[in-house]
Amino acid sequence: MAKQCKFNFKPLAGVISAVICAALPLSAQADFEYELSADAMLDAVNYSGSEFSENGQELYLRRANLGIELEYNKLLNAEISGEYSELDEEYSFKDVYVGITPLKLLEFRVGRFKEPAGLERNQGLKNQVFLERSLATNVFSFGRKTGIGVIVDGDGWNVEGALMNQQGKDEGYDDSRVLALHASYNPYRNDAKTDFLHIGTSYSKRDATERRYDIDEPTVAPIYGNTIHSQRYRDADITSYGFEGAVGYKKLLLQAEYFDQTFNEADGDEYIHTGYYLTGSYTLLGGARQYRKGEVKSNKDAPQILEIAARISQADTVNDGEGDSADVASLIVNYYPTKNYRLALEYAASDIQSYDNNVPLTLDGQAITARIQLSF
């Protein structure tokens, strides 16, 4: 059956899509489907507290993203996307991969794509309840890499695995391998996709790629920089486990993950980090969030949405009297006047116990962040 170019977004992306389709030969239009996506997030943040060297406020472009997905006769698919973020101060490619689907439920993937991981990491940033993923997710899970992967999508279950390349960072350290696995099960979902149960687990194993590795992440103000740290591990292989669950009932959503991460140094020493987050949200106006393709997304059918949410998260990297233990509590109000626009106001507070030779230092931080988000 002939296929035509696909438009399911608005303004700028629609114009780009029309130009691409018009430029293609008619024979190519009959074989391919195209879908463009774009989003932009503008943040204004005010932060204060002893974990920062000084109080501050910033207006910055959190992200501008543009991507294209292609499909050929349901057998071949590809995705290319890139983004600019003032956090990184550079434009970079995100996903660049080709997928092969020899069977309806089976896909092989080659290129650069997201490492199989837990629920919050696998879900796109624009679909998160909060402005950023939780502290625990950022500390204990990893992002995109180059590799090969396999995805099996069953009826209410999903298994994904990948063998990926971890780039060596120090002289004398070769690129090494990452084995990552994720499995999830959805035993129940109603027709509206708002009532559901999701459970899952993840695993990853990666070789040492640098002489001294440490955790270095922000808490409540990413634009400021990193404020939670661990001790430095020598020639450490890293093994990570994750356990996840989410339940939606009418307009209430609960979501949680627990992480356990082990560092095995070349000399035989072993160190363990742990963390978790728990999120609860409630839809005050409009349709509740929906469970679609293993992700919890805003309701695409609602004309407008107003929701509130709270989250607590912890990351504990303390071993032998060194490292940090941090707790972050967050509150947010999200308003979607249409499915393409989001206005958000978030308050987050952090508490850090920083240890140096068993001597604790208590630090705190607070941030209020407003976001304008456009998605097409």
Side-chain angles (χ1 to χ4, degrees):
M1 180 178 178
K3 296 180 175 65
Q4 300 297 324
C5 288
K6 182 179 180 181
F7 309 91
N8 64 350
F9 45 86
K10 308 243 182 192
L12 177 59
V15 172
I16 297 173
S17 178
V19 171
I20 291 175
C21 290
L24 291 171
L26 293 178
S27 59
Q29 290 190 40
D31 293 328
F32 283 93
E33 287 187 358
Y34 297 82
E35 183 174 351
L36 294 178
S37 62
D39 64 69
M41 305 170 186
L42 183 66
D43 286 3
V45 61
N46 184 291
Y47 55 87
S48 61
S50 57
E51 75 175 77
F52 308 110
S53 59
E54 59 183 6
N55 299 342
Q57 52 188 359
E58 300 278 351
L59 176 67
Y60 64 101
L61 182 63
R62 173 59 183 87
R63 187 176 88 173
N65 178 76
L66 180 64
I68 180 170
E69 297 180 25
L70 307 96
E71 184 178 284
Y72 176 76
N73 283 345
K74 300 189 181 298
L75 175 64
L76 295 175
N77 66 84
E79 181 173 345
I80 302 174
S81 63
E83 72 171 34
Y84 175 81
S85 171
E86 286 193 34
L87 298 184
D88 302 321
E89 296 184 339
E90 64 179 11
Y91 186 88
S92 59
F93 283 105
K94 293 172 57 184
D95 293 306
V96 184
Y97 67 82
V98 174
I100 304 172
T101 310
L103 301 173
K104 182 178 180 181
L105 304 180
L106 178 65
E107 177 184 341
F108 296 100
R109 187 171 288 181
V110 180
R112 176 180 168 83
F113 52 90
K114 191 177 293 185
E115 179 179 318
L119 181 61
E120 196 177 44
R121 173 63 71 182
N122 277 340
Q123 185 165 307
L125 186 63
K126 70 180 181 181
N127 292 316
Q128 299 289 333
V129 175
F130 285 84
L131 302 185
E132 303 289 341
R133 296 178 178 90
S134 68
L135 172 66
T137 296
N138 288 333
V139 168
F140 297 117
S141 61
F142 301 86
R144 290 170 171 82
K145 295 175 184 65
T146 303
I148 57 175
V150 59
I151 302 170
V152 183
D153 274 314
D155 185 11
W157 58 273
N158 171 279
V159 177
E160 183 174 356
L163 185 62
M164 313 186 86
N165 182 69
Q166 179 78 41
Q167 185 176 4
K169 296 183 179 179
D170 290 343
E171 185 177 350
Y173 281 72
D174 296 329
D175 291 357
S176 59
R177 293 176 299 276
V178 175
L179 173 64
L181 302 168
H182 179 258
S184 65
Y185 179 48
N186 171 220
Y188 172 74
R189 187 184 72 173
N190 68 350
D191 292 339
K193 304 180 179 63
T194 56
D195 294 6
F196 65 90
L197 175 63
H198 169 101
I199 54 177
T201 185
S202 57
Y203 165 86
S204 71
K205 173 74 173 180
R206 63 199 66 238
D207 301 334
T209 60
E210 53 189 303
R211 191 168 291 106
R212 294 169 66 86
Y213 175 87
D214 67 319
I215 286 173
D216 194 27
E217 291 287 339
T219 53
V220 296
I223 191 66
Y224 174 82
N226 300 322
T227 53
I228 175 174
H229 312 276
S230 71
Q231 63 175 299
R232 292 186 174 182
Y233 302 103
R234 299 177 182 270
D235 300 304
D237 296 342
I238 307 172
T239 304
S240 304
Y241 295 91
F243 305 92
E244 67 199 52
V247 57
Y249 178 69
K250 297 188 184 299
K251 297 194 173 187
L252 177 66
L253 168 66
L254 298 176
Q255 180 176 317
E257 293 188 59
Y258 172 81
F259 302 91
D260 185 289
Q261 195 169 78
T262 302
F263 293 79
N264 292 291
E265 292 187 325
D267 60 8
D269 289 339
E270 180 179 285
Y271 303 91
I272 296 176
H273 297 173
T274 60
Y276 72 89
Y277 75 83
L278 173 62
T279 293
S281 68
Y282 187 80
T283 304
L284 298 172
L285 174 68
R289 285 184 172 256
Q290 297 176 315
Y291 180 82
R292 307 194 301 273
K293 296 183 178 180
E295 295 186 23
V296 183
K297 302 180 179 181
S298 58
N299 195 306
K300 65 178 182 179
D301 301 319
Q304 57 179 322
I305 299 170
L306 178 65
E307 67 178 355
I308 57 173
R311 181 176 69 192
I312 55 174
S313 184
Q314 182 189 77
D316 187 350
T317 74
V318 179
N319 281 284
D320 295 339
E322 302 285 344
D324 294 348
S325 177
D327 296 271
V328 176
S330 307
L331 298 171
I332 194 169
V333 178
N334 288 314
Y335 176 57
Y336 296 81
T338 75
K339 65 179 181 179
N340 300 114
Y341 298 91
R342 174 190 187 186
L343 305 175
L345 183 65
E346 178 181 300
Y347 170 77
S350 59
D351 180 79
I352 301 175
Q353 291 291 320
S354 183
Y355 291 85
D356 183 9
N357 291 322
N358 282 306
V359 178
L361 174 65
T362 300
L363 304 169
D364 67 87
Q366 305 84 38
I368 297 176
T369 306
R371 172 173 293 176
I372 299 175
Q373 176 178 315
L374 293 81
S375 303
F376 301 105

